[in-house]
């Protein structure tokens, strides 16, 4: 499913990354599943740090009977894609059990389309009556059907993760293997009246889609993060500090004891001290303070079947979130996440919240300058806000 319009876009081979850093330190590295960082040969996973690749280069793939790249050639496979990918992952573990390895198993699940999911995963939720968002526009029956399909797709991934954990037990590798589970985004299924992720569209039900609603709602940007690190992280530990996917590079090197390359400008923060200290006690090096006082920033530029130039700041205490929609009018957002966790009331133009909004905007502007955000110097990025001219 090659996307010709994105053929020239991808991760350059000279961009530092943690797979290549581990590879240079002697690890065998594998990427199995979704790549989505370039489809041209110069962006191939094996050019940027992976010793082994089996999967698909683009962003989309069919959930059943997929065409995948194996040993450099495309091949048609029969069966559910999560099972097929996991089969290759288990083979990789068998073949590299005596080596230091880093395996990335990237499922497409639970990406759209959810169906057809494997029958054993569908059966788990066949009779479920799920709780769904209340709507005067979207039929509850359709939302329930979409939730059941989504859960089945999630279960397909979950079941196959179980197969990987079982293989680590079988090979007696579990005690010295770190397992990190996360995702790249969440989903809206009727929440806020929209369907899917950050590039969602307004919906009224099956086949009735409205315009795009680019967003940075919590449903879209909050992702799971589970770490199994035997002998270091006590099972059941919960850590409340906010971290980001951008922290992965520094953290994985921190976990493995490999030094960050000297020429790397690192925006992420190593959160492995939090893991070593459990709930923060004994984490050392001011780890808890470092994260508890850290605002999180976000950038979303949509150019695929829609347009958005969005920037976000989420305050360190998790109380407020400011979202700016640059190059558009009237869409900016401010939410009180503690009192309005589902983001139902936009406070951006509320006079009572103006001081909070302006304080967050000052920090957001400083961050944009620190990363040389091109939107900051765009002459079109000028508009009237609250009677004053806002150039940010």
């Amino acid at each position: 499913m090659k996307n010709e319009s994105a053929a020239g876009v991808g991760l350059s081979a000279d961009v530092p990354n943690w797979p290549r850093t581990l590879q240079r330190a002697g690890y065998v590295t594998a990427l199995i599943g979704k790549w989505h960082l370039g489809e041209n040969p110069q962006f191939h996973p094996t050019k940027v740090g992976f010793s082994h690749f089996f999967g698909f280069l683009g962003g989309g793939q069919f959930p059943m009977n997929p065409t995948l790249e194996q040993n450099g050639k495309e091949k048609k496979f029969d069966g559910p894609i999560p099972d097929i990918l996991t089969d290759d992952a288990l083979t990789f573990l068998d073949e590299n059990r005596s080596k230091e390895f880093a395996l990335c198993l990237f499922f497409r699940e639970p990406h759209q389309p959810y169906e057809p999911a494997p029958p054993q995963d569908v059966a788990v939720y066949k009779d479920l009556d799920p709780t769904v968002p209340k709507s005067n526009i979207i039929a509850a029956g359709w939302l329930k059907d979409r939730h059941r399909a989504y859960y089945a797709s999630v279960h397909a991934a979950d079941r196959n993760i179980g197969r990987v954990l079982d293989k680590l037990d079988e090979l007696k590798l579990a005690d010295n293997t770190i397992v990190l589970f996360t995702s790249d985004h969440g989903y809206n299924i009727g929440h806020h009246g929209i369907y899917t992720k950050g590039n969602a569209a307004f919906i009224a039900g099956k086949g009735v889609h409205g315009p795009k609603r680019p967003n940075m709602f919590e449903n879209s940007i909050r992702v799971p993060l589970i770490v199994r690190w035997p002998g270091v992280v006590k099972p059941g530990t919960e850590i409340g500090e906010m971290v980001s996917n951008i922290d992965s590079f520094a953290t994985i090197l921190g976990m493995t004891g490999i030094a960050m390359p000297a020429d790397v400008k690192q925006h992420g923060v190593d959160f492995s001290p939090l893991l070593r200290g459990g709930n923060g006690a004994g984490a050392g090096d001011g780890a808890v303070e470092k994260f508890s006082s850290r605002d999180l920033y976000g950038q979303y530029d949509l150019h695929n079947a829609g347009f958005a130039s969005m920037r976000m700041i989420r305050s360190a205490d998790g109380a407020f979130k400011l979202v700016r929609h640059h190059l558009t009018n009237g869409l900016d957002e401010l939410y009180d996440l503690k009192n309005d966790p589902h983001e139902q009331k936009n406070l951006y133009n509320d006079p009572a919240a103006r001081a909070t909004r302006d304080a967050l905007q000052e920090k957001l502007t400083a961050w944009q300058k620190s990363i040389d955000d091109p939107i900051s110097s765009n002459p079109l990025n000028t508009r009237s806000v609250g009677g004053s001219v806002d150039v940010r």
Side-chain angles (χ1 to χ4, degrees):
M1 298 175 65
K2 188 169 183 177
N3 182 358
E4 295 298 336
S5 65
V9 179
L11 179 66
S12 174
D14 60 2
V15 173
N17 59 70
W18 66 260
R20 169 174 285 137
T21 304
L22 264 61
Q23 187 183 53
R24 288 174 174 170
Y27 280 70
V28 180
T29 56
L31 189 150
I32 297 172
K34 179 177 178 177
W35 173 234
H36 205 197
L37 287 174
E39 300 178 36
N40 275 10
Q42 68 268 31
F43 307 128
H44 196 271
T46 56
K47 299 288 183 65
V48 299
F50 290 100
S51 314
H52 170 79
F53 172 68
F54 172 75
F56 54 102
L57 298 175
Q61 186 52 262
F62 298 110
M64 196 71 68
N65 304 328
T67 297
L68 303 172
E69 180 181 320
Q70 183 182 50
N71 298 323
K73 296 181 179 180
E74 289 195 342
K75 177 181 176 181
K76 182 79 171 179
F77 289 82
D78 294 327
I81 189 171
D83 297 67
I84 294 167
L85 296 176
T86 303
D87 288 345
D88 191 70
L90 301 186
T91 299
F92 174 84
L93 292 175
D94 271 325
E95 293 176 349
N96 295 281
R97 67 178 79 183
S98 61
K99 304 172 185 175
E100 290 186 319
F101 62 81
L103 165 63
C104 294
L105 177 55
F106 294 156
F107 295 112
R108 63 165 296 285
E109 283 69 24
H111 200 283
Q112 283 270 51
Y114 309 132
E115 300 107 332
Q120 63 265 48
D121 302 304
V122 174
V124 177
Y125 302 101
K126 179 174 64 71
D127 299 319
L128 177 71
D129 183 21
T131 300
V132 299
K134 293 181 180 179
S135 173
N136 295 324
I137 299 174
I138 312 169
W142 184 81
L143 286 177
K144 290 177 184 288
D145 174 75
R146 291 298 81 204
H147 275 75
R148 282 189 289 267
Y150 175 79
Y151 294 151
S153 187
V154 170
H155 194 273
D158 185 57
R159 175 175 54 80
N160 278 286
I161 291 168
R163 294 176 62 203
V164 173
L165 298 180
D166 288 345
K167 173 59 76 169
L168 293 175
D169 287 338
E170 174 193 322
L171 298 176
K172 300 188 182 336
L173 296 175
D175 287 345
N176 64 344
T177 300
I178 300 170
V179 178
L180 191 155
F181 173 85
T182 189
S183 182
D184 56 345
H185 60 78
Y187 261 108
N188 299 271
I189 307 179
H191 308 82
H192 304 285
I194 61 177
Y195 195 44
T196 75
K197 50 186 177 177
N199 63 351
F202 287 105
I203 56 167
K206 181 178 180 181
V208 186
H209 289 198
K212 285 286 185 181
R213 179 29 170 125
N215 71 90
M216 300 183 88
F217 289 128
E218 294 291 280
N219 287 55
S220 298
I221 68 170
R222 291 193 66 167
V223 297
L225 176 60
I226 303 172
V227 178
R228 189 178 81 168
W229 193 355
V232 177
V233 180
K234 183 180 178 181
T237 297
E238 294 186 15
I239 299 173
E241 281 69 34
M242 289 194 299
V243 299
S244 169
N245 281 353
I246 202 172
D247 300 327
S248 298
F249 193 165
T251 300
I252 289 171
L253 296 194
M255 289 174 166
T256 55
I258 296 172
M260 179 68 67
D263 59 343
V264 174
K265 181 180 180 181
Q266 183 53 234
H267 292 285
V269 180
D270 175 11
F271 61 77
S272 66
L274 291 177
L275 299 172
R276 289 190 171 93
N279 62 4
D285 195 27
V288 175
E289 293 76 11
K290 183 185 296 183
F291 286 93
S292 61
S293 60
R294 178 195 189 200
D295 300 310
L296 287 184
Y297 297 91
Q299 175 179 347
Y300 183 33
D301 293 300
L302 172 64
H303 304 292
N304 183 18
F307 173 81
S309 292
M310 303 170 67
R311 304 295 184 266
M312 180 205 80
I313 176 173
R314 198 176 189 274
S315 61
D317 59 3
F320 285 92
K321 181 168 73 177
L322 172 68
V323 180
R324 294 298 307 277
H325 294 252
H326 292 288
L327 308 181
T328 58
N329 290 318
L331 297 178
D332 296 322
E333 301 161 88
L334 176 68
Y335 298 105
D336 179 347
L337 296 178
K338 288 196 172 178
N339 295 305
D340 179 26
H342 301 296
E343 298 169 293
Q344 299 297 304
K345 186 176 181 181
N346 183 0
L347 302 175
Y348 190 84
N349 292 313
D350 187 337
R354 180 156 190 167
T356 297
R357 184 193 80 183
D358 290 349
L360 290 173
Q361 179 63 67
E362 185 175 353
K363 288 184 175 183
L364 182 59
T365 299
W367 172 75
Q368 289 180 254
K369 290 179 179 177
S370 76
I371 63 169
D372 298 323
D373 186 351
I375 202 70
S376 299
S377 58
N378 191 315
L380 296 177
N381 191 29
T382 305
R383 75 186 100 153
S384 176
V385 175
S388 62
V389 174
D390 178 29
V391 184
R392 290 165 179 159

